[in-house]
Amino acid sequence: MSKSVLIYAKTSQLEPVGGPFGYLNNLKTQLDERGISYVHFIDDGMPDRNKVKHKNTFFRKCGRALKRFKKYFGMLLISDRDPVIENCKDDYIHFHYTEQIFRYRKSLEKYPGKVVLTTHSPTLASIQLYDSLEKGERAIFGWCYKLLKKMDIYAFNRADYIVFPCEEAEEPYLHNWSGYANFKKCNRKKYRYVPTGINACKAKVSRSDIRKKYNIPEDAFVISYVGRHNEIKGYDRVKRIGEKLLKRYKNVFFLIAGIEDPIKGLDDKHWIEVGWTNDPHSYIAASDVFLLPNRETYFDLVMLEVLSLSKCVVASNTGGNKYFKKFEESGIFLFDKDEEAIRYIENLQKYELSDRDAIGERNKIIFDNNFNCNVFCDNYLKMLDSLD
């Protein structure tokens, strides 16, 4: 590729985490290894100092709410300026937040190149922001955040190219933006698709040690779940499925990671809540099947993590999960209703451990061939080659 691309993210923000900055960290690592210089980042050479965590006191929460309101209300009224954009000589600027395009809309008027947008939000960023507000903040400032839909619509219209991980990941946008289907119909040439890639995950603690720690027998059938305990992530579905399976089988256990809020787990000795952990992969690896019951989803990284750990996964037939239908010989089982998920789990339970492991290995092959960082970078560069 002869043209150059500025990825609008500071190098100090990149780290091996989830979300856009983890995504970009994986990409930059690959680009550096290949010596590719025509795709570059904003090199500020400074550590990100905005990571100090404070206790969430009432006054601190109020201060953050006021600061956040001032930021977004001001953005609705006046565009900020960024000399990085105004002085950019690259042919493309690749943004990873709709907010960035809207915030610097005046600066973009001075930029002669083309704008690429990847939105990592599982729905419109304005809706995700509104839903994240606490009740008091929503009651007082909600009117402002509802106006921010203007931000998303502006960014989609301003972008010359829009990049999603797959077409199925657009489903939440269709559900939450009444004009999205028509927008895409009129702008189909803008769209490109680059499936996300991650580094393969590894368990830090062995299967047997995890089971010993929580008094789970070696021959027990363990179902794992990692994530938020809310309805959008389908945690209430996990509970419903769990209630039925725990009544039917004495050797079934649920191993759950994530903060137990707002929905609490089941009161059952075979239902184990480990809380927040920085090692979710050991819990997944210690289980026999992973349950991924999202009601709506974009392109959930935990799916890729489970595949890389050679585990079977029973997932809801929604959003980005649907992309995995294309892999026919797999250990990925998509369901629409709870009973369908239960049937898949019961069928897996009938297999010997060695047979389940063999099915899980199919998922590892799928991961290695399609979702590692090397393939991700290849696909990203191919996408850039397709731009005018």
Side-chain angles (χ1 to χ4, degrees), residues 180-207:
Y180 185 76
N182 187 59
F183 171 85
K184 183 175 181 181
K185 182 179 178 181
C186 297
N187 294 277
R188 196 168 291 276
K189 290 183 178 180
K190 286 187 177 186
Y191 281 76
R192 301 291 188 276
Y193 298 97
V194 179
T196 307
I198 63 169
N199 291 307
C201 303
K202 293 181 180 179
K204 297 177 183 177
V205 183
S206 71
R207 177 182 186 274

Side-chain angles (χ1 to χ4, degrees), residues 106-378:
K106 284 292 184 183
S107 290
L108 280 169
E109 290 176 6
K110 296 178 178 291
Y111 172 61
K114 294 189 176 181
V115 171
V116 184
L117 170 65
T118 295
T119 170
H120 297 263
S121 172
T123 183
L124 290 176
S126 54
I127 293 175
Q128 187 179 33
L129 177 60
Y130 179 84
D131 289 345
S132 72
L133 301 176
E134 293 193 7
K135 288 182 180 179
E137 188 175 355
R138 193 180 298 175
I140 298 169
F141 300 127
W143 60 271
C144 171
Y145 292 102
K146 286 182 179 179
L147 294 174
L148 283 176
K149 190 171 184 179
K150 174 183 177 182
M151 168 187 79
D152 294 310
I153 294 173
Y154 176 88
F156 270 77
N157 279 288
R158 177 61 181 83
D160 297 286
Y161 298 99
I162 298 167
V163 182
F164 275 92
C166 61
E167 197 163 4
E168 292 84 350
E170 296 172 60
E171 189 175 277
Y173 288 75
L174 286 164
H175 294 166
N176 292 286
W177 176 5
S178 59
Y180 185 76
N182 187 59
F183 171 85
K184 183 175 181 181
K185 182 179 178 181
C186 297
N187 294 277
R188 196 168 291 276
K189 290 183 178 180
K190 286 187 177 186
Y191 281 76
R192 301 291 188 276
Y193 298 97
V194 179
T196 307
I198 63 169
N199 291 307
C201 303
K202 293 181 180 179
K204 297 177 183 177
V205 183
S206 71
R207 177 182 186 274
S208 59
D209 285 346
I210 290 288
R211 291 188 173 220
K212 283 177 186 176
K213 181 178 180 179
Y214 294 100
N215 296 315
I216 301 172
E218 278 293 321
D219 62 348
F221 185 84
V222 178
I223 301 155
S224 60
Y225 169 86
V226 173
R228 294 190 182 97
H229 289 32
N230 59 27
E231 290 188 1
I232 195 70
K233 287 293 185 180
Y235 183 73
D236 57 318
R237 300 176 86 174
V238 179
K239 286 181 65 176
R240 289 200 306 269
I241 291 167
E243 283 177 324
K244 293 179 180 179
L245 287 171
L246 292 175
K247 283 179 182 178
R248 295 179 193 179
Y249 305 101
K250 292 182 179 180
N251 72 326
V252 166
F253 284 74
F254 278 76
L255 192 56
I256 311 290
I259 297 172
E260 198 177 352
D261 185 72
I263 303 175
K264 302 296 182 184
L266 296 177
D267 184 15
D268 189 294
K269 64 181 182 180
H270 284 204
W271 184 277
I272 300 165
E273 292 277 352
V274 303
W276 183 88
T277 175
N278 60 5
D279 181 24
H281 306 135
S282 292
Y283 295 99
I284 297 170
S287 69
D288 295 282
V289 60
F290 186 86
L291 185 55
L292 183 61
N294 335 49
R295 277 191 169 76
E296 281 204 314
T297 190
Y298 180 69
F299 196 77
D300 205 326
L301 291 186
V302 76
M303 171 71 90
L304 305 187
E305 292 171 357
V306 173
L307 300 186
S308 77
L309 289 164
S310 305
K311 288 296 168 182
C312 300
V313 55
V314 174
S316 53
N317 185 33
T318 187
N321 291 351
K322 292 179 178 178
Y323 179 77
F324 295 89
K325 287 180 180 179
K326 63 189 289 185
F327 303 108
E328 295 178 359
E329 292 295 321
S330 76
I332 304 166
F333 307 94
L334 301 183
F335 70 91
D336 290 298
K337 296 182 178 180
D338 292 354
E339 282 302 325
E340 193 176 0
I342 290 169
R343 283 198 300 274
Y344 282 133
I345 292 169
E346 287 177 328
N347 286 337
L348 287 169
Q349 190 182 1
K350 295 173 184 176
Y351 285 98
E352 295 292 332
L353 176 59
S354 59
D355 294 327
R356 278 198 301 272
D357 286 346
I359 296 172
E361 282 299 322
R362 298 176 194 168
N363 288 348
K364 182 63 163 63
I365 293 169
I366 290 170
F367 172 83
D368 290 339
N369 291 339
N370 299 276
F371 302 109
N372 64 49
C373 288
N374 188 51
V375 176
F376 169 45
C377 188
D378 286 343

